[in-house]
Amino acid sequence: MATRIENINSDIINWAITRAGNNLEEFYMDNPDVLDWIEGNKKPTIKQLENFTHKVHVPFGYMFMSEPPKEEIPIPFFRTGAAPRDKVSLNVYHTIQIIRDRQNWLTNYLQESDYPDLSFVGKYNDDSDYKEIANDIRNTLKLPINWASKLGTWEQALDYLTLQIEEVGIIINFNGIVGNNTRRKILVEECRGFVLVNNKSPFLFINSADAKAAQMFTLTHEIAHIWLGESAGFDNAKMLPADDPTELLCDKVAAEFLVPEIFFREKWNNSQNIKYLSKVFKVSPIVIARRALDLDLISKTSFFEFYNNYTAEFKTKKENQSSGGNFYATAKKRISLRFASYVNNAVNENNLLYRDAYKLTSLKGNTYEKFINEYLYQV
């Protein structure tokens, strides 16, 4: 006979349901057995309670706590507007945990292997000149000022920039879901990305559900955070920064890095076609519009009119695209080949168990083996 759980805490059940982003009334309509638990009509078996915790994404042990735990995000999450900066959805919260676990492991590994600190982390502060920071980032990444114009597409520019960034010791994870769970999407409207900064192994997370050219701006904004030594997350609603000195500075750095003022004014004098200029600089048309706004070349009214029209057009195109793709090609972006190589080295050195490697990469068993053997060092 199956063992049943006594004394279910209804407050914990309700907290777990709403924490996962569900409406209580709707959840109980779809799951009447759970409603019977809190009303005392039935008692769940261990298996039933485990299934419930999997559905709402909470550890099984939470069900036996006297009150809900306080879950705090380890970084400020900047919002454009007045939204709270200390709360995120469960999907974003769990993604931050995944990336933080990777960073903690890699930091310890690099320390034990006597890797030096990265000299550019925290090199500047909020009082620094944004052009000086942008130039220092370019020099560190060994990029000429007009590097993007020499590449054919936004995708090529993003891939090349990613490679240059990882070459200096920064890890970049591109993902639009929690781990590999396609049912747990990370909304662009809530999170375009976040950055976890330390002196050994800064980690960047980019929401891959965003447009490729928009990802370029998020990536550069996050790099600026590393040069300032400040961890943060952000939504950058309508491509506008939060009202915070660090965010405003990072936006200026990103804009100058991607669209240098001296070249932009020269091109603008010849053409005010935003979509054409976006192809020249390999960034989103919205970034071009933002740059024109920042330099007082267009009005706020013109900017928001363009923004609304462009996002509506992009949304329509995205809805018409298929969502297929190669799992392993996607995994290379989700995990970072640089990070995966550290994990593989640690396994080969007998400094990391396979079960821990599976957890760090969100890959298991044969899937992990195939990824390492066939895709890790693929040229």
Side-chain angles (χ1 to χ4, degrees), residues 92-148:
V92 173
Y93 177 75
H94 279 166
T95 299
I96 293 173
Q97 286 185 314
I98 290 170
I99 304 302
R100 196 182 190 191
D101 287 346
R102 291 177 180 176
Q103 183 184 51
N104 288 340
W105 175 81
L106 182 56
T107 300
N108 290 332
Y109 178 78
L110 295 177
Q111 286 174 339
E112 292 172 359
S113 303
D114 294 324
Y115 278 72
D117 287 349
L118 301 175
S119 60
F120 50 80
V121 176
K123 186 175 180 178
Y124 295 92
N125 59 48
D126 286 351
D127 295 324
S128 301
D129 179 75
Y130 71 94
K131 289 186 178 180
E132 182 181 350
I133 300 173
N135 285 332
D136 193 69
I137 293 172
R138 284 195 205 98
N139 292 334
T140 302
L141 301 181
K142 299 179 181 178
L143 295 171
I145 193 169
N146 61 339
W147 65 274

Side-chain angles (χ1 to χ4, degrees), residues 135 138 143-149 256-258 260-263:
N135 285 332
R138 284 195 205 98
L143 295 171
I145 193 169
N146 61 339
W147 65 274
S149 64
E256 177 63 24
F257 178 89
L258 293 173
E261 180 179 351
I262 186 172
F263 287 112

Side-chain angles (χ1 to χ4, degrees), residues 30-317:
D30 294 336
N31 301 272
D33 286 347
V34 180
L35 181 60
D36 284 337
W37 301 348
I38 68 167
E39 290 181 345
N41 299 326
K42 292 182 180 178
K43 300 185 187 303
T45 65
I46 292 177
K47 183 62 176 176
Q48 288 171 336
L49 194 58
E50 283 181 342
N51 290 340
F52 169 76
T53 60
H54 292 156
K55 184 175 291 187
V56 295
H57 311 294
V58 295
F60 183 72
Y62 279 19
M63 294 296 98
F64 304 98
M65 300 178 70
S66 58
E67 60 183 28
K70 292 182 179 179
E71 296 178 320
E72 298 179 351
I73 56 174
I75 57 175
F77 211 95
F78 291 105
R79 312 281 189 192
T80 303
R85 298 181 178 182
D86 61 346
K87 296 184 183 299
V88 293
S89 70
L90 185 60
N91 288 353
V92 173
Y93 177 75
H94 279 166
T95 299
I96 293 173
Q97 286 185 314
I98 290 170
I99 304 302
R100 196 182 190 191
D101 287 346
R102 291 177 180 176
Q103 183 184 51
N104 288 340
W105 175 81
L106 182 56
T107 300
N108 290 332
Y109 178 78
L110 295 177
Q111 286 174 339
E112 292 172 359
S113 303
D114 294 324
Y115 278 72
D117 287 349
L118 301 175
S119 60
F120 50 80
V121 176
K123 186 175 180 178
Y124 295 92
N125 59 48
D126 286 351
D127 295 324
S128 301
D129 179 75
Y130 71 94
K131 289 186 178 180
E132 182 181 350
I133 300 173
N135 285 332
D136 193 69
I137 293 172
R138 284 195 205 98
N139 292 334
T140 302
L141 301 181
K142 299 179 181 178
L143 295 171
I145 193 169
N146 61 339
W147 65 274
S149 64
K150 299 178 180 180
L151 297 166
T153 65
W154 300 340
E155 290 82 2
Q156 290 173 357
L158 181 60
D159 288 344
Y160 183 70
L161 181 59
T162 298
L163 179 64
Q164 295 302 107
I165 292 170
E166 291 215 321
E167 280 294 311
V168 301
I170 299 168
I171 305 297
I172 308 174
N173 295 152
F174 292 86
N175 207 344
I177 58 177
V178 181
N180 294 319
N181 191 337
T182 56
R183 291 173 293 180
R184 301 188 64 191
K185 295 181 179 180
I186 299 169
L187 300 178
V188 173
E189 293 77 11
E190 181 192 12
C191 173
R192 276 197 153 90
F194 59 82
V195 53
L196 303 181
V197 180
N198 69 23
N199 292 326
K200 277 281 192 292
S201 58
F203 268 69
L204 308 182
F205 175 83
I206 307 294
N207 191 338
S208 59
D210 205 358
K212 291 286 185 184
Q215 290 175 34
M216 180 84 81
F217 190 85
T218 300
L219 180 59
T220 313
H221 179 106
E222 292 181 341
I223 292 297
H225 267 276
I226 293 174
W227 259 249
L228 296 176
E230 299 286 345
S231 300
F234 21 81
D235 62 358
N236 274 11
K238 296 189 176 181
M239 291 300 292
L240 297 174
D243 186 16
D244 173 86
T246 301
E247 285 299 287
L248 293 168
L249 178 57
C250 287
D251 249 39
K252 286 184 177 181
V253 172
E256 177 63 24
F257 178 89
L258 293 173
V259 190
E261 180 179 351
I262 186 172
F263 287 112
F264 182 67
R265 288 188 181 277
E266 177 185 326
K267 295 293 183 182
W268 184 266
N269 288 336
N270 295 324
S271 173
Q272 288 84 50
N273 186 313
I274 290 175
K275 291 188 177 181
Y276 162 74
L277 292 173
S278 74
K279 294 178 181 178
V280 173
F281 290 96
K282 306 303 183 298
V283 295
S284 166
I286 295 174
V287 174
I288 295 294
R290 254 294 309 279
R291 193 64 166 136
L293 174 65
D294 292 342
L295 297 175
D296 294 322
L297 298 173
I298 61 173
S299 66
K300 278 192 174 182
T301 301
S302 297
F303 170 76
F304 285 118
E305 181 181 354
F306 179 85
Y307 178 90
N308 291 332
N309 290 336
Y310 180 82
T311 51
E313 179 183 326
F314 174 74
K315 184 177 180 181
T316 300
K317 286 182 179 178

Side-chain angles (χ1 to χ4, degrees), residues 334-375:
R334 288 176 179 169
I335 300 167
S336 158
L337 290 181
R338 187 179 184 89
F339 178 73
S341 68
Y342 284 125
V343 171
N344 184 49
N345 288 343
V347 170
N348 292 335
E349 296 162 356
N350 295 320
N351 289 327
L352 185 69
L353 297 175
Y354 272 103
R355 69 181 185 192
D356 295 323
Y358 298 163
K359 182 178 180 182
L360 286 168
T361 59
S362 299
L363 302 174
K364 295 181 180 180
N366 292 335
T367 304
Y368 174 84
E369 292 294 340
K370 182 173 181 177
F371 176 77
I372 294 297
N373 295 328
E374 298 184 23
Y375 292 87

